[in-house]
């Protein structure tokens, strides 16, 4: 069983809304649809504050009914895969479910080969790692799966620039080769090192570096893999700190239109969800310390207003990274361990 913050529920709400719209939009055009979940998670999940159950991505995908996905492929570590498959087959015994255990970066291309006869079917891939386990080669395999067809696999990707920052010290400390290799595999290029080099030289601020990493990933999805649109929505914790982005990539105008609407609605709801989580935590802390609030549950001043200029979603296309300009100066190298 895993426990998650309010933001996980918000992310899964986006997933559920989009999957419902995805199958509805394709039901009169394609008799089969494919759902791929690269990091399918545990069968049981709960809210870390309230203890209430949270339906994981696998259950949400299987619960789509108008119409249902016809082929569902889930990937998890070897230890979790068997447990997840047992749970899913018990709840959905008549569905075409397959849970594969191991490294999804190796297994997804293999499974796509097995599904090659269905490359015409509308396909959606949820790439939601706990860390930086997703690799560019997997995104590439998904994008190329339908190379004979007009539309690509749609991708919903968790991307966390902050995880990069944790591995890339700016004031003292060395960068470990294992970490740089992991980041290379994530981006499918070493271009990110230009951003880090600029940060070491204090040419850009920390917030700028985060945006540059995000821009590079989006730019590569569009320019290298050929997606027409990438939409990032910001996911923040209770303190208001950005913890990751959910990046949606599509080349289908209907998918673009649907996700714009879904993201816009989520951006309106996230601040309220965050305030509710803050309020619940405060109430629990007061109860533990025997403190009785003098204010009603509706009082907002205890929690403060939404931060000025705070954005969760606003679509702007990525720009060509500045360091790809041949005339740009190369930053100095960084120390390695």
């Amino acid at each position: 069983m895993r426990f998650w913050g309010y933001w996980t529920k918000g992310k899964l709400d986006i997933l559920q809304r989009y999957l419902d719209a995805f199958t509805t939009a394709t039901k009169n055009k394609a008799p089969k649809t494919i759902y791929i979940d690269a990091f399918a998670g545990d069968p049981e999940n709960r809210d870390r504050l309230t203890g209430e159950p949270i339906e994981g991505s696998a259950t949400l995908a299987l619960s789509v009914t108008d119409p249902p996905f016809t082929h569902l492929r889930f990937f998890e570590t070897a230890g979790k895969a068997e447990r997840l498959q047992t749970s899913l087959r018990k709840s959905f015994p008549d569905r075409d479910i397959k849970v594969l255990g191991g490294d999804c970066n190796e297994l997804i291309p293999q499974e796509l080969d097995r599904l090659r006869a269905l490359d015409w079917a509308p396909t959606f891939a949820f790439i939601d790692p706990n860390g930086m386990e997703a690799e560019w080669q997997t995104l590439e395999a998904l994008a190329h799966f339908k190379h004979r067809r007009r539309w690509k696999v749609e991708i919903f990707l968790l991307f966390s620039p902050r995880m990069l920052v944790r591995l890339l010290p700016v004031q003292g400390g060395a960068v470990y080769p294992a970490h740089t290799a992991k980041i290379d595999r994530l981006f499918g290029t070493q271009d990110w090192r230009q951003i880090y080099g600029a940060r070491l030289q204090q040419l850009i601020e920390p917030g700028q570096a985060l945006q540059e990493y995000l821009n590079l990933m989006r730019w590569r999805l569009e320019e290298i893999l050929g997606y027409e649109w990438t939409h990032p929505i910001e996911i923040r914790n209770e303190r208001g700190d950005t913890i990751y982005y959910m990046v949606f990539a599509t080349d289908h105008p209907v998918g673009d239109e649907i996700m714009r609407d879904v993201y816009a609605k989520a951006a309106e709801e996230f601040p309220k969800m965050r305030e509710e989580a803050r309020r619940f935590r405060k109430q629990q802390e007061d109860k533990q310390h025997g403190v009785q609030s003098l204010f009603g549950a509706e009082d907002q001043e205890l929690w403060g207003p939404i931060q000025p200029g705070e954005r969760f979603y606003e679509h702007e296309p990525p720009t060509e990274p500045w360091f790809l300009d041949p005339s740009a100066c190369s930053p100095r190298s960084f120390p390695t361990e």
Side-chain angles (χ1 to χ4, degrees):
M1 181 184 297
R2 294 291 300 272
F3 291 85
W4 303 99
Y6 85 89
W7 53 88
T8 297
K9 185 177 185 304
K11 171 182 62 181
L12 292 172
D13 284 347
I14 292 174
L15 177 67
Q16 182 176 34
R17 290 173 185 175
Y18 190 82
L19 294 183
D20 281 334
F22 179 91
T23 58
T24 299
T26 59
K27 67 180 179 180
N28 294 325
K29 301 175 182 178
K32 297 185 185 296
T33 48
I34 301 172
Y35 174 79
I36 294 171
D37 198 326
F39 302 88
D42 290 271
E44 292 187 61
N45 303 273
R46 291 188 178 274
D47 187 297
R48 66 172 58 169
L49 288 179
T50 67
E52 296 176 348
I54 297 175
E55 286 192 335
S57 57
T59 302
L60 289 179
L62 282 159
S63 298
V64 172
T65 59
D66 187 27
F69 281 94
T70 59
H71 297 71
L72 300 101
R73 300 295 182 263
F74 305 101
F75 301 82
E76 250 306 336
T77 59
K80 293 182 180 180
E82 184 175 353
R83 185 168 68 250
L84 179 61
Q85 175 149 305
T86 298
S87 175
L88 295 179
R89 289 198 179 282
K90 180 179 179 180
S91 300
F92 304 92
D94 300 324
R95 303 293 295 278
D96 183 349
I97 297 170
K98 191 174 181 181
V99 183
L100 296 95
D103 184 348
C104 70
N105 296 294
E106 298 176 1
L107 296 175
I108 286 178
Q110 298 172 12
E111 189 61 22
L112 291 175
D113 284 340
R114 298 186 188 99
L115 292 168
R116 189 65 61 187
L118 293 174
D119 66 358
W120 52 267
T123 304
F124 183 93
F126 185 41
I127 315 295
D128 185 36
N130 289 328
M132 296 192 342
E133 296 87 354
E135 298 181 2
W136 181 261
Q137 67 174 22
T138 302
L139 304 180
E140 194 172 42
L142 289 165
H144 292 166
F145 173 60
K146 299 165 72 68
H147 69 278
R148 297 180 299 173
R149 308 298 174 178
R150 186 175 182 183
W151 312 116
K152 292 181 175 60
V153 173
E154 292 188 333
I155 293 176
F156 192 37
L157 167 70
L158 182 150
F159 178 72
S160 178
R162 288 206 174 275
M163 290 184 184
L164 305 180
V165 171
R166 294 193 189 104
L167 302 181
L168 301 173
V170 172
Q171 297 182 348
V175 181
Y176 293 93
H179 292 166
T180 58
K182 180 184 285 288
I183 302 173
D184 287 346
R185 291 193 296 272
L186 172 64
F187 283 103
T189 179
Q190 294 186 357
D191 287 344
W192 63 269
R193 300 176 186 223
Q194 300 284 351
I195 302 170
Y196 181 45
R199 181 72 191 98
L200 286 174
Q201 295 180 67
Q202 299 183 356
L203 299 175
I204 57 176
E205 297 296 322
Q208 290 176 283
L210 296 178
Q211 290 302 312
E212 290 286 355
Y213 290 128
L214 174 64
N215 183 74
L216 176 60
M217 175 57 74
R218 292 181 61 207
W219 187 85
R220 285 182 57 77
L221 286 169
E222 293 189 15
E223 297 300 319
I224 306 303
L225 296 188
Y227 284 96
E228 186 70 24
W229 298 279
T230 56
H231 294 268
I233 190 167
E234 201 170 7
I235 307 296
R236 295 171 177 258
N237 62 19
E238 291 174 34
R239 295 187 301 275
D241 299 327
T242 302
I243 48 179
Y244 56 81
Y245 292 85
M246 292 305 302
V247 178
F248 174 69
T250 185
D251 61 351
H252 199 297
V254 175
D256 171 61
E257 180 181 355
I258 292 172
M259 191 56 95
R260 284 178 189 263
D261 182 62
V262 171
Y263 270 8
K265 290 178 180 177
E268 294 178 358
E269 296 169 355
F270 276 0
K272 180 181 178 181
M273 294 175 67
R274 185 179 65 193
E275 293 306 300
E276 289 176 348
R278 287 175 173 174
R279 184 178 300 280
F280 188 87
R281 182 182 292 279
K282 181 66 163 56
Q283 290 173 345
Q284 293 298 102
E285 291 173 351
D286 287 349
K287 185 181 296 186
Q288 289 178 358
H289 295 90
V291 177
Q292 184 173 358
S293 174
L294 298 177
F295 303 96
E298 72 282 357
D299 182 68
Q300 295 297 318
E301 294 183 1
L302 288 172
W303 309 99
I306 302 303
Q307 300 173 15
E310 188 174 52
R311 297 187 308 172
F312 287 84
Y313 170 65
E314 181 177 332
H315 181 261
E316 295 177 354
T319 59
E320 182 176 10
W322 51 267
F323 45 80
L324 295 181
D325 182 347
S327 63
C329 297
S330 298
R332 66 179 174 83
S333 60
F334 47 83
T336 59
E337 184 69 30

